[in-house]
Amino acid sequence: MPKGPTKRRPQTTARLLDAALETFAERGFYGASIEEICERAGFTRGAFYSNFRNKEALFFALFDLHARRVVDRLAHAVDELEDTEDPVRTVLTRMSALDEAEHRWYLLSTEFTLHAIRHPDTARTLAEHDRLLREEIVHLLGRLFDRLGRRPTVDLDSLARLTAAVHEGSLAQSLVEPERLAPEELAVTYLPLLIDAVSEPSSPRDAAG
């Protein structure tokens, strides 16, 4: 039978993560202090350090939570492909969705990426978390091509990197000029053309048809 503190640990971790995301959104990664995060969560510094080594570890826990939400959202979109008239647009629109949580995450992750570029050890850790997320995206891209009846002619890992670059770059431009550019506009306009360009019908019969 687990002891009380062991059973409470997931709740403590969840509250610290919620408080961290709110504090990072308000103060930025550098501006947010561990003391402020603990105060917002209602815990002591001791509770923080029993769960996380430092702010970087806290960020990577938030990264993994966000990655899981992204994968789940895209997997659900791929599952719905047969029920939509424009399946590629459906997936890309889901990928580019920008609610308040996504807005806050974009600001935090962009700032942290700059931090990682300046610190090689942190960059290596970030690259590993990116790699794990990209593996999930590669799997979903494979499912997407299968549902479309097409076979990729390029490396899916590179394609996942490119789609992520388009997504992040589009989001940045949309946040700067929200009245001129919707978050999904560039992706839904140009990525379908790219998908056709880097794939072919799955069988000669499809090509002949």
Side-chain angles (χ1 to χ4, degrees), residues 134 137-143 145 151-163 198:
R134 205 164 54 251
I137 300 299
V138 164
H139 175 69
L140 289 172
L141 283 172
R143 287 179 55 197
F145 281 116
R151 179 176 57 208
T153 57
V154 297
D155 176 63
L156 287 184
D157 185 75
S158 293
L159 184 59
R161 287 181 182 272
L162 179 59
T163 55
V198 300

Side-chain angles (χ1 to χ4, degrees), residues 74-93:
L74 294 181
H76 185 61
V78 171
D79 288 339
E80 292 179 332
L81 285 184
E82 294 178 358
D83 301 323
T84 62
E85 294 183 3
D86 191 344
V88 175
R89 184 184 182 92
T90 298
V91 173
L92 294 175
T93 300

Side-chain angles (χ1 to χ4, degrees), residues 12-194:
T12 301
T13 301
R15 283 172 59 183
L16 284 167
L17 289 172
D18 287 343
L21 188 56
E22 293 176 1
T23 308
F24 286 149
E26 292 176 6
R27 305 286 192 185
F29 179 76
Y30 282 107
S33 67
I34 290 174
E35 289 80 5
E36 187 173 1
I37 292 169
C38 291
E39 181 178 352
R40 191 183 291 257
F43 294 119
T44 64
R45 286 174 62 93
F48 178 92
Y49 286 113
S50 70
N51 287 272
F52 301 103
R53 187 174 67 258
N54 50 33
K55 284 199 301 182
E56 286 191 0
L58 192 58
F59 170 84
F60 286 120
L62 288 170
F63 181 106
D64 292 341
L65 279 178
H66 180 263
R68 187 72 262 155
R69 287 195 295 267
V70 168
V71 169
D72 288 346
R73 185 171 71 241
L74 294 181
H76 185 61
V78 171
D79 288 339
E80 292 179 332
L81 285 184
E82 294 178 358
D83 301 323
T84 62
E85 294 183 3
D86 191 344
V88 175
R89 184 184 182 92
T90 298
V91 173
L92 294 175
T93 300
R94 289 283 184 90
M95 183 184 76
S96 305
L98 180 63
D99 55 17
E100 182 57 32
E102 191 67 25
H103 186 170
R104 290 190 299 178
W105 174 252
Y106 181 81
L107 295 176
L108 170 58
S109 61
T110 300
E111 182 183 4
F112 190 86
T113 298
L114 296 175
H115 167 75
I117 290 170
R118 298 185 183 102
H119 299 84
D121 288 343
T122 303
R124 283 188 286 272
T125 304
L126 179 58
E128 176 62 15
H129 283 258
D130 278 333
R131 183 189 66 80
L132 294 173
L133 173 57
R134 205 164 54 251
E135 284 184 353
E136 299 272 12
I137 300 299
V138 164
H139 175 69
L140 289 172
L141 283 172
R143 287 179 55 197
L144 173 62
F145 281 116
D146 286 343
R147 292 293 184 95
L148 295 174
R150 299 188 68 82
R151 179 176 57 208
T153 57
V154 297
D155 176 63
L156 287 184
D157 185 75
S158 293
L159 184 59
R161 287 181 182 272
L162 179 59
T163 55
V166 172
H167 168 65
E168 293 169 5
S170 298
L171 210 51
Q173 293 183 59
S174 180
L175 289 172
V176 171
E177 298 183 277
E179 70 287 348
R180 295 194 60 184
L181 186 69
E184 75 281 1
E185 183 175 334
L186 296 180
V188 301
T189 300
Y190 296 106
L191 286 183
L193 302 176
L194 174 65

